[in-house]
Amino acid sequence: MSAAEALTLEALKEGEEGIVTAISAPKPLRVRLLELGLLPGTRVRLLRRAPLGDPIEIEVRRTRLSLRKSDAARVFISIPKSQGASP
Amino acid sequence: MRIFRILLVGNPNSGKTTLFNLLTGLRARTGNYPGITVECRAARIEIDGILVELIDLPGTYSLSARSEEERIAIREILKNTPPSPDLALVIADATALERHLYLLVQVLETGLPSILCLNMMDEARAQGLKIDLATLEKSLGIPVVAIAARHGEGLEGLKQAIASSIRLGLPVPKDPPLTLHPRLEQALDRIEKAIDASLLPQRAGRARRALARWLLLSVGEDELSEIPPTLRALVASEEKQAFEDGLALDHALISARYAWIDTILKQALAPPSFHSSTTERIDRFLTHPLWGSLAFMTAMFFLFQMLFKGVEPIVSIIETLVSLTQSWLRHILPPGPLVELLANGVVAGVGNVLVFLPQIAFLSFFLAFLEDTGYLARVAFVIDRLMGAIGLHGRAFIPMLSGFACAVPAILSTRTIENRRDRLLVMLTIPLVSCSARLPVYLLVIGILFPPGTSVFGLEAGALLLFGMYALSILSALGAAYLLRHFLLRGPRPPFLLELPPYRWPDLRNLLRVVFDRSWAFVSNAGSLITAITVVLWALLHLPWNAERERWFEQRLAEAKVISDPFLRSERIDQLVRERAEERMESSFAGRLGQMIEPLIAPLGFDWKIGIGILASFAAREVLVSTLGIVYGAGEEAEAKDIQGRIRQSKRKDGRPALSALSGISLMVFYLFAAQCMSTVIMVFRESGSWRWALLMVAYMNSAAYLASLLVYQGGKLLGFE
């Protein structure tokens, strides 16, 4: 697996956008994330991290969701081209 | 006349409950779904001459379920034994249609006649969203109504839509034209064929297909009961085979649903770029590492202050009313056991119930306010990290914190925790948090042992001890949560997936409604039991009634009343009243019981008088203070200082002091751990839905209390303390 593929939602910086590529999680969590609209191809944005660093807040399909870092680490993403390569 | 059953279905933040309240006014009945402690609200109303029953289903993002509580929605929708539903009213937030339509698609798949109700249209307009209702109606094939429930806007149109749908004979909606992968279709066909009558009696077609889809998404690492093992195995093997062929069935189904939603919304919605600037601005402040934490602490401090001090005036009004009623009864009835039963049993029992209401009302209001504004989700967001360390959800924070004031409202407030296992866990640990009823006990003992001025290492001994008690209580509550989570309430920790809804100004009627519902739930569920047990406790503490001794005291009192010297007179009367109270208590059932259990509690450093106090504390822990006042001859109405003085000077039968330092600390530790308060036990029974959990709590807390006190007393003695 190349480094680009291993990028997860958890690793996004505040304000950064990504596109979901896959979810690798046990079924209950996977189904829940998919049903909340985190389907492959969906654009997500990391809004912020909680004051203690965990959980994180993301924006997806016009709603804000909060999820734990450990769960966000199971959502693989790619960085959209428009945003360019992140530093 | 036929009653049409309408199910209210919607996401947690769709404004479903506001709409329900708006449609039904105060006619709703609150109950529980059978077997599970999830609130079920229903109400009968008339719409345009048609009698309908509205049922408010629990808010949910999807019909798929991992637990029995989450299964309620699909069970009610597919229910085909009377009373079965006639119509689904699906409420969606117009500002987040994509996500909210997902739930609607699932409802449409079942074939239940439906109406889509777009709520928050005012906000959608303010955001510049343009929703083409006619196009939406055409593509979905069901009536669509736009409302703004908070302003009561569009309500008439909604009622008309319901009435005309019923008059048209409740047309079955068209099947959502999902494009399913052929591999998925085959798998669903096989699952559908395997569904037997135990899951869905005699209903064919759409409902069966919907159930097959539901099974595909729900079964697997779930906690659902009643799913036949053969069906489970089938779902698992279908998934496995498809996966080997490179297809994730769950993903295929969910994306087919979203694909249809996207097609519809492309025609019906003109979306501006998404940004809810107000919410973003508020969030930048309220979830900021510094300002957000400060705001959080301010809110929690306010809650604390109100629970301890703010409700005090109302509590004292209730207490005054109770004591006025008691005096009035004593005034109009001749002295004897009957008046004592009425005054100290029945009236005191009703008082014991009413006295909780101010805290319950305030806490419900506060929580509903936070919930409706959207801040409650942020509280969970800010504190989840800390709560997560002991295996709890961020939502558990406020109920635990409220436990410092009183476990009864705190347990009631666990209703905001969705997951049943989490809720039970919090319910069972809250009573370990040192509530305000333990404070008088701590203060009494500290006052006896360490009068102000006693210092240890230059610090006030009493303050140090009190601090130690609270620290120990917090540690033990956290420890108990950890142990329960790892041994008794094991299972997958539910994922923390929380929607952070836009900030909204709450609707006052809605808040008051919650206050009313919670207060009523407490009075109707727990009220009669609390009153009944107070009466039983009164009987234990006052019976058998010794008529001869009572007459003797009456005579002595009559003699005392004619003593001419006013000082001597009141002195003598006081003494007689004190002696009578002491004698009554010592010869009562509880008194004898206290003496009987003395061998059991002697290893903890307690004598039989403290034993009576412990028994009487079943009414409420602070009763220990007044009970010790009576048994040590300070009288029924004595001030804490007098009681402390009396106990300090009293000796046991063997000449040792009534309460040594060591047995005093042992007593405080006992009160810290023990499950004594009957109201708490009743609350856990009512809110968990079974005596099993209540008894478990009593057993674990009281074992911990006994062992901890034993350790303190015997350990202390070994170390040479007295």
Side-chain angles (χ1 to χ4, degrees):
Chain A
M1 198 186 273
S2 74
E5 279 171 314
L7 196 58
T8 69
L9 184 54
E10 195 264 320
L12 279 181
K13 295 188 185 61
E14 291 196 13
E16 222 176 6
E17 280 193 6
I19 290 175
V20 178
T21 54
I23 293 176
S24 157
K27 187 170 175 186
L29 177 62
R30 188 180 67 231
V31 168
R32 193 164 252 193
L33 289 170
L34 290 169
E35 289 196 311
L36 286 170
L38 277 134
L39 288 159
T42 309
R43 199 173 267 258
V44 291
R45 191 152 65 98
L46 187 110
L47 290 176
R48 61 175 55 79
R49 292 168 193 278
L52 297 170
D54 193 12
I56 61 167
E57 181 184 346
I58 60 163
E59 182 189 302
V60 58
R61 291 180 191 263
R62 303 173 163 276
T63 49
R64 293 146 199 279
L65 293 178
S66 160
L67 61 165
R68 291 202 179 108
K69 269 168 37 177
S70 54
D71 295 338
R74 297 171 170 283
V75 179
F76 292 91
I77 53 159
S78 63
I79 303 289
K81 291 209 178 65
S82 59
Q83 227 181 14
S86 47
Chain B
M1 193 171 157
R2 177 159 175 211
I3 298 169
F4 292 88
R5 278 171 65 90
I6 302 180
L7 302 179
L8 242 65
V9 190
N11 278 214
N13 298 302
S14 58
K16 188 169 60 70
T17 306
T18 310
L19 179 64
F20 178 84
N21 291 343
L22 211 58
L23 287 172
T24 61
L26 280 171
R27 269 158 297 201
R29 296 170 281 114
T30 309
N32 275 344
Y33 287 99
I36 356 180
T37 39
V38 174
E39 255 181 296
C40 163
R41 302 203 308 152
R44 274 184 195 174
I45 54 165
E46 210 188 282
I47 295 178
D48 201 11
I50 303 168
L51 208 53
V52 303
E53 174 156 45
L54 274 179
I55 298 121
D56 189 15
L57 289 188
T60 177
Y61 298 115
S62 155
L63 295 184
S64 348
R66 278 144 291 264
S67 61
E68 284 303 311
E69 309 95 275
E70 290 179 341
R71 197 179 150 206
I72 292 171
I74 188 85
R75 220 174 40 194
E76 293 293 307
I77 288 172
L78 289 180
K79 196 165 173 228
N80 57 2
T81 48
S84 57
D86 296 294
L87 180 71
L89 189 58
V90 182
I91 326 291
D93 179 347
T95 65
L97 261 188
E98 295 165 79
R99 246 263 322 284
H100 285 243
L101 286 189
Y102 182 82
L103 181 62
L104 173 75
V105 175
Q106 289 176 297
V107 177
L108 292 179
E109 285 172 11
T110 66
L112 183 66
S114 306
I115 292 175
L116 174 62
C117 176
L118 295 183
N119 195 8
M120 331 251 177
M121 278 305 276
D122 49 336
E123 285 176 42
R125 275 194 302 268
Q127 287 182 23
L129 276 175
K130 289 195 178 64
I131 302 170
D132 181 349
L133 295 185
T135 309
L136 206 53
E137 272 191 341
K138 216 173 119 234
S139 15
L140 289 169
I142 54 165
V144 178
V145 192
I147 67 163
R150 276 185 312 150
H151 308 294
E153 185 191 310
L155 221 56
E156 277 315 305
L158 176 63
K159 286 183 183 168
Q160 273 168 26
I162 294 173
S164 68
S165 185
I166 291 174
R167 293 224 168 81
L168 286 170
L170 295 162
V172 174
K174 71 168 186 187
D175 207 357
L178 305 189
T179 318
L180 297 182
H181 192 286
R183 192 78 182 66
L184 173 61
E185 295 247 42
Q186 291 159 15
L188 287 171
D189 279 345
R190 283 189 287 267
I191 297 173
E192 195 185 320
K193 284 202 187 77
I195 295 173
D196 58 11
S198 73
L199 269 184
L200 191 71
Q202 350 109 10
R203 193 185 257 196
R206 297 265 293 269
R208 268 181 97 84
R209 274 221 305 287
L211 192 60
R213 290 176 184 180
W214 179 83
L215 283 165
L216 177 65
L217 294 188
S218 301
V219 170
E221 297 184 44
D222 59 282
E223 293 160 44
L224 299 160
S225 47
E226 298 170 31
I227 309 280
T230 48
L231 210 47
R232 279 182 181 282
L234 177 65
V235 172
S237 85
E238 290 293 344
E239 278 188 314
K240 190 162 168 279
Q241 284 172 32
F243 193 74
E244 279 160 8
D245 299 344
L247 183 73
L249 293 179
D250 48 9
H251 174 199
L253 177 56
I254 296 166
S255 51
R257 285 171 177 161
Y258 267 108
W260 186 50
I261 294 169
D262 287 343
T263 324
I264 294 175
L265 288 185
K266 220 170 263 168
Q267 300 157 1
L269 184 69
S273 64
F274 169 73
H275 65 284
S276 172
S277 53
T278 330
T279 292
E280 189 49 42
R281 264 204 307 276
I282 300 175
D283 257 347
R284 236 172 259 158
F285 174 71
L286 285 182
T287 55
H288 185 273
L290 176 65
W291 306 122
S293 309
L294 278 178
F296 172 80
M297 282 188 260
T298 311
M300 294 307 117
F301 181 77
F302 173 72
L303 165 71
F304 226 61
Q305 179 70 13
M306 283 302 287
L307 283 178
F308 272 96
K309 283 276 164 206
V311 298
E312 221 167 56
I314 310 169
V315 171
S316 55
I317 291 176
I318 294 173
E319 280 168 350
T320 311
L321 284 177
V322 168
S323 86
L324 282 178
T325 315
Q326 288 171 329
S327 330
W328 176 73
L329 280 172
R330 290 211 176 85
H331 184 72
I332 58 159
L333 291 170
L338 177 71
V339 67
E340 290 300 311
L341 168 69
L342 285 178
N344 285 334
V346 180
V347 173
V350 173
N352 279 347
V353 176
L354 294 181
V355 91
F356 287 116
L357 280 181
Q359 280 186 339
I360 287 177
F362 172 74
L363 185 58
S364 325
F365 186 87
F366 185 76
L367 274 170
F369 180 82
L370 295 191
E371 174 111 63
D372 286 7
T373 50
Y375 187 61
L376 195 61
R378 271 80 179 180
V379 167
F381 179 70
V382 167
I383 205 73
D384 182 70
R385 180 70 215 280
L386 279 183
M387 300 303 284
I390 44 161
L392 285 172
H393 190 282
R395 284 245 165 171
F397 184 76
I398 292 185
M400 293 283 263
L401 184 72
S402 311
F404 281 103
C406 177
V408 170
I411 289 169
L412 202 59
S413 75
T414 60
R415 289 186 180 198
T416 53
I417 302 172
E418 287 138 35
N419 180 279
R420 175 172 163 81
R421 196 185 294 109
D422 274 21
R423 191 176 165 214
L424 268 174
L425 181 62
V426 177
M427 232 186 257
L428 294 179
T429 41
I430 282 174
L432 272 179
V433 176
S434 268
C435 64
S436 58
R438 281 160 170 123
L439 191 57
V441 176
Y442 297 157
L443 292 179
L444 177 85
V445 177
I446 287 173
I448 296 168
L449 304 177
F450 308 102
T454 322
S455 63
V456 181
F457 310 123
L459 292 165
E460 188 73 29
L464 215 57
L465 196 53
L466 190 61
F467 176 80
M469 284 296 132
Y470 274 88
L472 180 61
S473 136
I474 293 168
L475 286 179
S476 60
L478 298 183
Y482 184 86
L483 290 177
L484 284 169
R485 163 65 84 206
H486 284 82
F487 292 102
L488 208 66
L489 294 162
R490 247 183 321 200
R493 179 146 159 254
F496 179 83
L497 275 175
L498 193 69
E499 189 186 356
L500 298 173
Y503 287 105
R504 295 187 168 113
W505 197 244
D507 176 46
L508 185 65
R509 279 167 306 179
N510 222 16
L511 302 182
L512 294 179
R513 187 55 207 260
V514 175
V515 171
F516 174 80
D517 279 353
R518 293 277 189 272
S519 307
W520 178 245
F522 170 71
V523 171
S524 59
N525 287 340
S528 49
L529 261 174
I530 292 178
T531 309
I533 294 183
T534 310
V535 171
V536 172
L537 276 177
W538 173 85
L540 279 176
L541 286 161
H542 291 83
L543 298 180
W545 191 261
N546 190 332
E548 198 185 313
R549 290 297 293 162
E550 291 291 329
R551 265 200 305 281
W552 186 87
F553 272 113
E554 287 298 328
Q555 271 171 16
R556 297 288 94 76
L557 275 170
E559 285 165 21
K561 275 175 188 154
V562 295
I563 295 175
S564 53
D565 183 339
F567 181 73
L568 280 179
R569 182 169 65 220
S570 69
E571 179 97 310
R572 176 75 182 134
I573 292 176
D574 276 358
Q575 188 198 354
L576 279 167
V577 170
R578 282 201 306 269
E579 282 175 12
R580 182 173 66 179
E582 188 178 347
E583 198 179 306
R584 270 182 188 166
M585 184 160 288
E586 288 183 11
S587 61
S588 71
F589 292 122
R592 294 176 205 176
L593 205 59
Q595 302 186 36
M596 264 164 62
I597 62 167
E598 198 180 47
L600 193 69
I601 55 175
L604 312 183
F606 310 152
D607 67 346
W608 63 274
K609 290 190 175 184
I610 295 176
I612 301 178
I614 290 174
L615 292 174
S617 294
F618 198 51
R621 292 182 177 90
E622 72 267 21
V623 170
L624 176 78
V625 178
S626 58
T627 309
L628 290 185
I630 294 171
V631 288
Y632 283 102
E636 279 174 288
E637 311 280 324
E639 298 275 328
K641 242 188 4 216
D642 298 336
I643 303 174
Q644 287 165 346
R646 286 248 173 197
I647 299 178
R648 211 177 292 134
Q649 287 150 19
S650 298
K651 295 267 183 280
R652 294 191 186 172
K653 274 173 272 176
D654 55 11
R656 287 185 300 150
L659 201 67
S660 68
L662 198 55
S663 55
I665 294 175
S666 166
L667 184 62
M668 287 201 282
V669 169
F670 186 85
Y671 269 74
L672 188 150
F673 282 105
Q676 294 171 299
C677 163
M678 60 154 171
S679 309
T680 305
V681 178
I682 291 169
M683 266 334 261
V684 170
F685 156 56
R686 284 299 187 187
E687 293 294 307
S688 69
S690 104
W691 276 112
R692 211 160 62 100
W693 295 110
L695 292 176
L696 174 87
M697 179 191 77
V698 172
Y700 101 79
M701 285 178 66
N702 287 345
S703 317
Y706 194 87
L707 290 176
S709 284
L710 192 68
L711 193 72
V712 167
Y713 190 69
Q714 298 299 337
K717 266 189 14 186
L718 280 179
L719 294 175
F721 291 102
E722 196 35 63

